[in-house]
Amino acid sequence: MPSPEDALQEARTAYEEHVRTCRQCHFDMAPCAVSKHLLRIHNNARRAQARANSATH
């Protein structure tokens, strides 16, 4: 299982790569269903990292 930091980085990379390569997201400037899903994964990973950081402090 990846660490929260790794999961966040992977989610961010997947989202940014998709937005750059997706015709609808990049050229039409309208988020598609896949980008919304990837952004949700990124936000969940960000929250998990924040919870992990607050649990250790």
Side-chain angles (χ1 to χ4, degrees):
M1 185 169 166
S3 71
E5 293 84 12
D6 292 341
L8 179 61
Q9 184 60 37
E10 289 175 16
R12 177 182 294 137
T13 301
Y15 173 74
E16 290 174 350
E17 181 178 337
H18 173 80
V19 170
R20 278 193 310 272
T21 59
C22 175
R23 181 191 58 80
Q24 182 176 341
C25 294
H26 184 71
F27 297 111
D28 296 346
M29 300 301 287
C32 71
V34 173
S35 73
K36 291 176 185 177
H37 177 72
L38 292 171
L39 185 58
R40 193 174 309 118
I41 291 171
H42 174 264
N43 289 338
N44 289 342
R46 187 173 42 87
R47 279 191 219 94
Q49 181 184 23
R51 281 194 299 270
N53 288 341
S54 67
T56 60
H57 292 286

